[in-house]
Amino acid sequence: MKAVKPDFLNKKIIFFDGVCNLCNGFIDFVIRRDKDKNIYYASLQSEIGVYILKEYNVELTDNFSTIYFLNNGKLYHRSTAILYVLNNLNFFYRIFSKFSLIFPERFRNFVYDYISRNRYRFFGKKETCRLPSIEERDQFL
């Protein structure tokens, strides 16, 4: 008998810190540019976020400092996740993404980690996770 792949494997999903203002700003940025609505969203604090990431052996703690992007069944994280998200937007962002991927991951993640560690101090934090608007609801898991 053939194994059935879970539905989430066929989706492009960004997993983000739902209370982080920087993360929510990035989600807003992507939503405005994802004209075909191909990308879905789940906060790291959500049940579905925890469930899907657990399928990829990612154990979340109370530290939600890493962004993840599931694309074609492959899970990316940190700077690579952001660049692969951008690769799914318009031509300009695809070119920027391809160019940025030339830089060593170690260097990219050094910058990512600095911003991630200081994101609440630089950009602030919400009391609760983001609630999608009526127009966005179908894209949030």
Side-chain angles (χ1 to χ4, degrees):
M1 178 173 246
K2 196 173 190 178
V4 178
K5 288 185 179 180
D7 185 48
F8 63 80
L9 287 177
N10 299 322
K11 291 186 178 1
K12 296 175 182 185
I13 307 170
I14 300 173
F15 301 93
F16 66 102
D17 180 353
V19 298
C20 169
N21 286 336
L22 174 62
C23 302
N24 280 288
F26 180 67
I27 297 305
D28 290 339
F29 172 88
V30 174
I31 288 171
R32 285 192 305 274
R33 287 158 181 81
D34 180 25
K35 302 296 183 200
D36 297 329
K37 298 184 189 269
N38 291 325
I39 300 175
Y40 294 84
Y41 310 92
S43 75
L44 294 169
Q45 294 90 340
S46 69
E47 287 182 37
I48 191 74
V50 170
Y51 171 78
I52 294 173
L53 290 173
K54 199 175 262 192
E55 292 292 309
Y56 283 85
N57 298 316
V58 174
E59 291 294 328
L60 296 173
T61 63
D62 289 340
N63 179 8
F64 301 110
S65 62
T66 301
I67 191 168
Y68 296 91
F69 181 52
L70 181 62
N71 187 17
N72 295 323
K74 183 163 172 138
L75 188 67
Y76 302 96
H77 69 291
R78 296 164 67 192
S79 66
T80 305
I82 291 171
L83 294 174
Y84 274 94
V85 168
L86 295 176
N87 194 49
N88 281 273
L89 302 179
N90 70 32
F91 179 75
F92 171 77
Y93 295 107
R94 280 194 296 277
I95 295 300
F96 176 79
S97 170
K98 301 264 190 229
F99 174 75
S100 297
L101 284 166
I102 293 170
F103 293 97
E105 186 175 29
R106 187 177 193 172
F107 170 75
R108 289 186 281 113
N109 284 338
F110 176 80
V111 174
Y112 175 92
D113 290 341
Y114 175 77
I115 294 169
S116 176
R117 274 192 312 275
N118 295 290
R119 70 191 186 284
Y120 295 150
R121 187 165 47 120
F122 294 158
F123 301 98
K125 179 179 177 181
K126 298 177 186 294
E127 291 298 315
T128 60
C129 283
R130 168 200 178 111
L131 294 175
S133 69
I134 293 169
E135 298 84 24
E136 298 169 344
R137 213 170 273 159
D138 289 342
Q139 289 180 267
F140 278 75
L141 304 178

